[in-house]
Amino acid sequence: MTKIVFMGTPDFSVPILRMLHEEGYEILAVVTQPDRPVGRKRVLTPPPVKEEALRLGLKVLQPEKLKGSEELEEILRLNPDLVVTAAFGQILPKELLDAPRLGCINVHASLLPKYRGGAPIHQAIMDGEEKTGVTIMYMAEKLDAGDIISQREIPIEEMDHTGILFEKLSLLGRDLLKDTLPSIIAGTNARIPQDESKATFAHNITREQERIDWSKSAREIYNQVRGLHPWPVAYTTYKGENMKIWWAKIGDSNAKGQPGEVVKIAKNYFEVATGEGTLAILELQPAGKKRMSAEDFLRGVGSKLQIGEVFE
């Protein structure tokens, strides 16, 4: 029986943990991030992986920082054959990387060496990529730079946003890991060094990346909106206040205007000029208001919106 320590945090990791349990691997412990305050009321909320681990009756460890922690010492005492990580959110210290008999492997949501880092799904959509995938890799001290064991790719569809792609890649990662683990345990797996010259990075999304630059093309802004949906959400400025743009599509209007200028108002959407083409706004959230359809906005707080007004 292969003894595993699993490390993961968000919803992405849950199907992977569930698969390991269903396949009968001995899961010695599940390591995840500490509970965090969530929402306006700052309710202390456990990460999804903790909730699943407790449902499965598994031991849970939640170090604030793994390096130098009591939890790390406990993991080392458990003496796992293999450490499996999937969107854990912390760097593994060298003493842990070197400890398991079969090593430490990671389920990473990109086709490495492209999009190393914490936001590969967001970045792939924002960059307008037509495909992405999952990589099973050995972990190394350098970020997402370990040898590749296996990969599987899928197309990025026109209507895919980050939430949809997270789910698709989570299930893809689950299936790929299920298929790959027997070869890792048997020692017959591939081990392909990454080509450093092709490495690109997808660091955690910054506030600046969330702001819409209307001088970009409608296609680029559409990719930004769907790449940031449903979190952290793209935004613009309207009458001096931030407005979140939850959903949009490339407009079909031939109207011309300066970037950010409202050029068309219909019943259930309005179009904004960009550096190339127009963007039709379908769902938004004015400052201090709830998320709403463009139709509700135009009937209510945005009823005075006029052609010629400018978003910045």
Side-chain angles (χ1 to χ4, degrees), residues 7 20 23 68 74 82 89 101 195 247 265 278:
M7 310 177 82
L20 292 171
E23 289 296 301
E74 186 167 356
L82 179 70
R101 176 175 64 87
D195 184 345
W247 198 243
I265 299 176
T278 66

Side-chain angles (χ1 to χ4, degrees), residues 94-198:
K94 187 175 189 304
E95 57 191 312
L96 178 56
L97 292 174
D98 292 342
R101 176 175 64 87
L102 298 171
C104 297
I105 63 171
N106 182 39
V107 182
H108 184 76
S110 83
L111 298 172
L112 290 170
K114 203 164 191 175
Y115 297 126
R116 295 175 180 178
I121 300 175
H122 295 80
Q123 199 66 54
I125 296 175
M126 291 170 70
D127 287 353
E129 295 285 349
E130 295 183 353
K131 67 179 182 179
T132 185
V134 169
T135 302
I136 310 292
M137 53 168 281
Y138 283 107
M139 300 186 74
E141 287 187 85
K142 191 175 177 182
L143 180 67
D144 297 329
D147 292 347
I148 294 169
I149 302 169
S150 60
Q151 289 185 321
R152 195 168 289 171
E153 72 176 48
I154 57 170
I156 299 177
E157 306 289 349
E158 175 70 11
M159 294 294 288
D160 279 349
H161 54 66
T162 286
I164 291 173
L165 210 51
F166 255 81
E167 186 171 345
K168 287 182 179 181
L169 291 176
S170 174
L171 299 179
L172 187 70
R174 173 199 66 189
D175 295 344
L176 181 59
L177 182 64
K178 180 180 176 179
D179 293 345
T180 303
L181 272 173
S183 67
I184 294 172
I185 293 165
T188 59
N189 61 281
R191 187 160 187 156
I192 305 164
Q194 292 188 42
D195 184 345
E196 288 293 324
S197 69
K198 295 181 179 178

